[in-house]
Amino acid sequence: MSAVFEQIFQVGFLAAIIRIATPLAFATLGEMFSERAGVLNLGIEGTMLLSAMTGFTAASLSGSLWLGVLAAVLTGMLMGALHALFTVVLGLSQHVCGIGVTLFSSGLAYFLYRLIFGQQSVPPNIKGFQTLPIPVLSDIPVLGPAVFNQFALVYMAILAIPLAAFVLYRTPWGLSVRMVGENPRAADSAGVSVIATRFQAVVLGGALMGLAGAFLSMAQFNAFTFGVVSGRGWVAIALVVFGRWDPWRSAGAALLFAFVDALQLRMQASGLGHIPYEAFLMLPFIFTIVAMAVMSRNAVAPSALLKPFRREER
Amino acid sequence: MSLPAPLIEMRGITKHFGAVKANEAVDLSVAPGEILGLLGENGAGKTTLMNVLFGAYAPDAGEILIQGQKVRITSSADALAAGIGMVHQHFHLAPRLTVLENLLIGIPGKTGRIDRAGGLARLAEIGRQHGLTLDPDLPVSALSVGEQQRLEIVKALFRGARLLILDEPTAVLAPSEVDGLFSALRSMAAQGLGIIFISHKLNEVRALTHRCTVLRHGRVAGRVDDPANTTSSEMATLMCGHEIVPPARGPSTPGADVLTLDGISTSKHSGTPLRDVSLAVRTGEILGIAGVSGNGQRALAEVISGTRVPDAGQMTIAGQKVSRFSPREVQALGLGRIPEDRMTTGLVTNLPLADSMVLPRIGTTAFSSKGLLKPDAIRAFAEAQIKAYDIRCPGPMTRAGALSGGNLQKALLARELAFDPKVLIVSQPTRGLDIGAARFIHEKFLAMRAKGCGIVVIGEDLEELLVLCDRIAVMYEGRIVGTLDSADATIARLGLMMTGAEGHS
Ligand SMILES: Nc1ncnc2c1ncn2[C@@H]1O[C@H](COP(=O)(O)OP(=O)(O)OP(=O)(O)O)[C@@H](O)[C@H]1O
Ligand SMILES: [Mg+2]
């Protein structure tokens, strides 16, 4: 037992958790904003993939990582706008449009990538983000090197959590988002534009999903492969439910998932060799399902989730 | 009394929904400090007209003037900016957000933040002015219906409304809450606010309003300049186009017990549970269940309709013991029911009216054979009922949700009565109905009674129960505290029993 304990408090292990959690946190916050406004965005998986691709491409062609991040964010916003156009403005089915957005943007990502880089035996890579130790803070024992010696995008994710909570709970716009997700008719009769608020929330969510994609291809893998997202978008959707549509809880859920994922990576490496490694790969997902089943029974979704708003209907 | 220039004027407002002419060239005006009653039958177009004024619906024609200035109101934001506030028939609140959050929605903040301190100060000020107090940090779901309505009124005042529209505010209130509402409204009018008050209860209209506009089939049918000195029946005649005579309840000739409950108790699952309830209804008799809502009426209705299984006790219908308590079983034994909430447990609002009307009997040979529906039979049945009950709608294939409240209720009644039930259980049968429709429904009940049906009417409106019922039982905290013959019952006596005082006859 104490060996496991020691492992957990190893700097490397803690740092790995933070790193795994970062794209999940971005994606989960993004999905949360969208769902709080009443729009389920199943386009998240494809949005992350396309953003990872455009971010990587922009960075590798221009040589500037931050230009890559910008490209990824813009891509995310664009895909968010596409989803919002269908579901918010036109009031079409959120499930169908979300899956459509994922299929479309995944296909587009593969196609553009082939078009630009051709078919190479070794995928091209870039020199990705380097860790950026924060003076003083990174000297704190254990926690310092694990949390404060990370990529700039990790710090952005950490800051994004309180910021998201502030925006959602303390600003008039955040209140409008919550209201259009609960009772759009009430928001409408209070003079809030339901369509505009939902559109903005979905686009903001897309931007955050774009950041998740950027992290994967420019900080974590430093390359674009077709498996770069591999289900993280779907996991984020589950984490939003697990986190009860709250920024703090959602980020906590992402951290917990990352912990299990990091643990299973360790277990794979630690010579429990007679168990096939696929068994370990399943662990985080089994954890998600169990945790969801236990924790989410009385979680209540925004009341107007999935419901398009049309003014003169009753 | 001479009134100053109008605060709000609507001229020639026309609004059609497809073939339905909801409003036709309607003129209406309200002066500052005036309480205007807006009357009309169900489906006359009152709600539609107010939605036009509030910017929720765009009119097909007509104009709106505020203090003589023509304004364009295309959204609720415009209406709010013009000083118009509205309390909707169905509240527009987000139940999971707090009172304060519901108030501050759509209000620009201070330096990018929600202005909590400013909101609290304003709320306290409104509370002092009109006696409308609320706990700002409670979630709306924790408020009673009366408090939610207060919040809706405060919300309008919060935005500086100069005209307040209330769409059937008293339909959801207990009689004791109505007085509080009226004194708040009078205080607002005294300070120069204009108020538009919609209600089907003509005695309320007479007590509160200064003037009335009456709609019929979307048009202005007339105006009443002195409601206090106009009789209810004169107003009703204006509304309906003909006189409404109260139905006469002849002497009852009750027969054998057709529905009995013996020692029924339920678990505390949702709402007040039943505790050892015993009652009997005979054929050809109407039994009223009086009580302040929330005292177990819902559980009682659910047990009788077979949607809730009691923990203890027995029930019989037409002499047969109910064993499984399923809706299908009690229906097969001859029970018809009209639930309290016609929108959720009554009809399926997204289906065509015809489908909803046959739903409980969809499996019978009249409407299906060999597992397939008979669409023609369903349609023909619905058409016949629409005619027989004068249900106002474009046709049997209309979405049920598009009907006005009164017409929904008629559709439900038509559905249940078409199959000659031996026992009928109804909750709040005329809530939200105009007096013509209410009278119509009362007549149907009395006709069923004459045919030997046993009827249970659950209601809060004591006047209605006294007119309709042969006997009245009073519920308090899940028990029946007493039963009176209606000849011995008075409002005062029933009211006392409803507070839990023993009142055995
Ligand atoms: N959104 C809508 N879509 C289609 N038809 C509608 C809509 N709103 C109202 N109607 C129709 O317009 C007519 C007027 O309805 P409205 O709700 O204004 O009546 P009302 O006077 O408020 O009746 P009630 O007393 O029952 O509330 C009705 O025939 C109704 O079916
Ligand atoms: Mg109405």
Side-chain angles (χ1 to χ4, degrees):
Chain A
M1 205 62 226
S2 76
V4 174
F5 198 73
E6 252 166 46
Q7 276 217 328
I8 290 175
F9 286 97
Q10 263 177 12
V11 171
F13 185 68
L14 284 180
I17 294 175
I18 303 279
R19 220 164 289 165
I20 295 170
T22 297
L24 288 172
F26 278 132
T28 305
L29 289 176
E31 184 69 28
M32 184 214 66
F33 267 111
S34 182
E35 290 190 20
R36 264 327 260 265
V39 183
L40 176 72
N41 190 352
L42 294 181
I44 183 171
E45 180 85 7
T47 302
M48 284 167 69
L49 189 74
L50 187 61
S51 299
M53 201 292 290
T54 54
F56 174 81
T57 307
S60 102
L61 296 183
S62 73
S64 158
L65 288 169
W66 287 108
L67 222 56
V69 171
L70 184 69
V73 168
L74 288 176
T75 306
M77 292 171 77
L78 206 67
M79 298 324 283
L82 185 69
H83 186 58
L85 174 70
F86 289 139
T87 58
V88 177
V89 180
L90 301 177
L92 304 178
S93 154
Q94 296 181 7
H95 287 112
V96 174
C97 296
I99 291 174
V101 167
T102 281
L103 292 176
F104 167 72
S105 45
S106 307
L108 191 66
Y110 302 154
F111 173 69
L112 290 178
Y113 183 76
R114 279 282 155 78
L115 210 62
I116 297 166
F117 294 98
Q119 195 144 17
Q120 305 183 9
S121 52
V122 181
N125 51 29
I126 52 170
K127 188 167 184 299
F129 279 101
Q130 303 302 304
T131 56
L132 185 76
I134 295 182
V136 187
L137 287 178
S138 59
D139 296 334
I140 304 172
V142 189
L143 212 59
V147 181
F148 298 108
N149 186 13
Q150 289 280 12
F151 309 124
L153 286 173
V154 171
Y155 304 138
M156 280 173 67
I158 294 173
L159 290 178
I161 301 160
L163 196 64
F166 178 82
V167 168
L168 195 62
Y169 295 123
R170 296 286 163 81
T171 67
W173 184 76
L175 179 57
S176 304
V177 168
R178 288 183 285 144
M179 185 69 99
V180 298
E182 284 294 331
N183 186 350
R185 213 160 286 285
D188 184 61
S189 66
V192 171
S193 166
V194 176
I195 303 290
T197 307
R198 286 189 164 175
F199 202 100
Q200 291 155 3
V202 177
V203 169
L204 172 67
L208 287 161
M209 294 168 194
L211 281 172
F215 182 87
L216 291 172
S217 67
M218 289 186 281
Q220 191 157 336
F221 298 115
N222 300 335
F224 176 78
T225 60
F226 294 158
V228 71
V229 179
S230 64
R232 286 180 179 81
W234 306 134
V235 168
I237 290 175
L239 293 177
V240 173
V241 181
F242 187 37
R244 296 189 190 179
W245 292 270
D246 172 78
W248 292 105
R249 285 172 192 265
S250 294
L255 209 57
L256 207 59
F257 183 89
F259 167 72
V260 181
D261 202 20
L263 197 65
Q264 83 55 39
L265 284 171
R266 284 282 150 126
M267 284 159 82
Q268 271 188 53
S270 69
L272 292 162
H274 51 287
I275 304 174
Y277 77 94
E278 287 91 345
F280 295 114
L281 281 180
M282 291 189 318
L283 270 183
F285 298 96
I286 293 174
F287 159 79
T288 318
I289 292 168
V290 172
M292 291 253 304
V294 175
M295 301 286 295
S296 318
R297 294 187 67 173
N298 44 14
V300 265
S303 313
L305 188 63
L306 299 176
K307 294 192 189 113
F309 176 69
R310 293 190 191 91
R311 189 179 267 169
E312 297 208 358
E313 205 162 76
R314 72 171 185 187
Chain B
M1 121 186 199
S2 86
L3 290 160
L7 180 65
I8 294 265
E9 220 182 327
M10 299 178 85
R11 284 189 194 155
I13 300 290
T14 296
K15 173 77 187 171
H16 294 179
F17 292 105
V20 179
K21 296 177 178 173
N23 290 149
E24 275 285 304
V26 176
D27 297 337
L28 175 148
S29 73
V30 187
E34 184 182 38
I35 304 180
L36 176 80
L38 184 59
L39 305 184
E41 292 178 280
N42 293 119
K46 305 179 294 294
T47 300
T48 304
L49 185 68
M50 292 302 104
N51 273 324
V52 167
L53 181 55
F54 191 59
Y57 292 171
D60 300 333
E63 55 187 29
I64 297 170
L65 288 84
I66 296 181
Q67 290 176 327
Q69 296 286 320
K70 220 174 121 175
V71 289
R72 261 174 59 82
I73 297 179
T74 59
S75 69
S76 303
D78 292 349
L80 292 169
I84 301 170
M86 178 158 176
V87 178
H88 291 85
Q89 210 165 353
H90 306 283
F91 297 149
H92 286 186
L93 298 169
R96 249 178 277 142
L97 304 190
T98 65
V99 166
L100 193 64
E101 285 172 334
N102 272 280
L103 283 175
L104 289 174
I105 175 72
I107 292 182
K110 231 177 172 173
T111 61
R113 294 227 231 159
I114 293 174
D115 183 11
R116 192 182 147 83
L120 286 174
R122 189 100 181 76
L123 179 62
E125 186 193 319
I126 292 169
R128 264 197 313 278
Q129 266 184 345
H130 304 291
L132 300 163
T133 50
L134 286 163
D135 181 344
D137 292 317
L138 234 47
V140 168
S141 57
L143 302 184
S144 71
V145 176
E147 287 168 325
Q148 293 186 21
Q149 182 176 76
R150 197 180 305 160
L151 172 57
E152 286 278 36
I153 295 172
V154 170
K155 211 165 100 183
L157 298 177
F158 204 86
R159 281 145 215 275
R162 286 176 295 165
L163 176 82
L164 185 64
I165 304 165
L166 296 125
D167 196 353
E168 293 191 39
T170 55
V172 294
L173 296 185
S176 56
E177 292 170 307
V178 172
D179 297 335
L181 172 69
F182 281 11
S183 66
L185 293 182
R186 288 197 183 100
S187 132
M188 287 177 232
Q191 295 187 16
L193 244 79
I195 294 174
I196 299 181
F197 175 81
I198 300 179
S199 175
H200 290 297
K201 297 182 186 162
L202 297 179
N203 47 358
E204 290 175 3
V205 173
R206 293 178 56 226
L208 184 71
T209 64
H210 302 140
R211 214 159 53 85
C212 296
T213 295
V214 183
L215 295 183
R216 192 193 315 150
H217 301 312
R219 294 173 181 278
V220 176
R223 295 176 212 280
V224 180
D225 287 326
D226 187 9
N229 294 314
T230 308
T231 64
S232 292
S233 83
E234 281 166 345
M235 289 190 193
T237 307
L238 254 183
M239 278 167 58
C240 309
H242 53 84
E243 210 177 329
I244 301 284
V245 275
R249 180 164 53 89
S252 66
T253 46
D257 287 351
V258 69
L259 170 75
T260 66
L261 271 68
D262 188 14
I264 296 272
S265 297
T266 61
S267 57
K268 197 178 169 68
H269 195 59
S270 67
T272 311
L274 295 180
R275 287 188 273 164
D276 193 22
V277 168
S278 298
L279 55 83
V281 186
R282 292 167 293 180
T283 58
E285 170 181 70
I286 302 182
L287 172 71
I289 308 282
V292 177
S293 75
N295 275 288
Q297 292 96 328
R298 170 178 298 216
L300 180 66
E302 285 175 353
V303 167
I304 296 177
S305 334
T307 50
R308 182 191 288 229
V309 183
D311 286 353
Q314 290 196 348
M315 181 166 108
T316 65
I317 294 175
Q320 306 252 30
K321 187 163 169 282
V322 175
S323 53
R324 283 198 314 276
F325 286 92
S326 72
R328 186 184 288 242
E329 184 193 14
V330 298
Q331 219 170 53
L333 292 174
L335 183 110
R337 67 169 191 131
I338 298 176
E340 180 171 5
D341 190 342
R342 30 198 191 238
M343 294 295 244
T344 58
T345 42
L347 297 160
V348 186
T349 49
N350 272 326
L351 287 185
L353 181 61
D355 292 0
S356 260
M357 286 187 73
V358 300
L359 206 51
R361 282 154 190 101
I362 203 101
T364 61
T365 49
F367 302 119
S368 66
S369 72
K370 304 189 190 77
L372 293 179
L373 293 177
K374 297 181 184 167
D376 292 339
I378 293 173
R379 232 190 131 105
F381 170 78
E383 259 160 16
Q385 299 306 322
I386 288 171
K387 215 155 152 207
Y389 285 79
D390 188 25
I391 300 167
R392 308 261 165 85
C393 66
M397 301 319 277
T398 320
R399 228 169 42 86
L403 264 63
S404 77
N407 286 307
L408 275 177
Q409 189 74 341
K410 283 190 198 170
L412 270 175
L413 190 73
R415 170 172 103 183
E416 296 303 327
L417 296 194
F419 300 93
D420 273 325
K422 296 195 183 90
V423 193
L424 187 65
I425 166 126
V426 291
S427 294
Q428 315 280 6
T430 58
R431 173 182 281 180
L433 299 202
D434 65 58
I435 70 168
R439 201 62 86 219
F440 177 85
I441 281 170
H442 289 167
E443 273 162 19
K444 288 286 171 193
F445 286 165
L446 291 171
M448 289 300 289
R449 166 179 177 263
K451 281 206 305 195
C453 180
I455 304 177
V456 183
V457 179
I458 298 177
E460 270 190 283
D461 185 343
L462 295 179
E463 277 172 43
E464 174 177 35
L465 291 179
L466 284 172
V467 169
L468 207 55
C469 302
D470 299 305
R471 288 187 299 139
I472 300 176
V474 180
M475 276 191 96
Y476 178 71
E477 291 189 342
R479 293 176 200 281
I480 303 269
V481 292
T483 308
L484 300 179
D485 267 339
S486 61
D488 309 327
T490 58
I491 290 193
R493 197 159 167 203
L494 290 170
L496 195 65
M497 285 165 73
M498 281 162 68
T499 61
E502 291 294 314
H504 293 294
S505 48

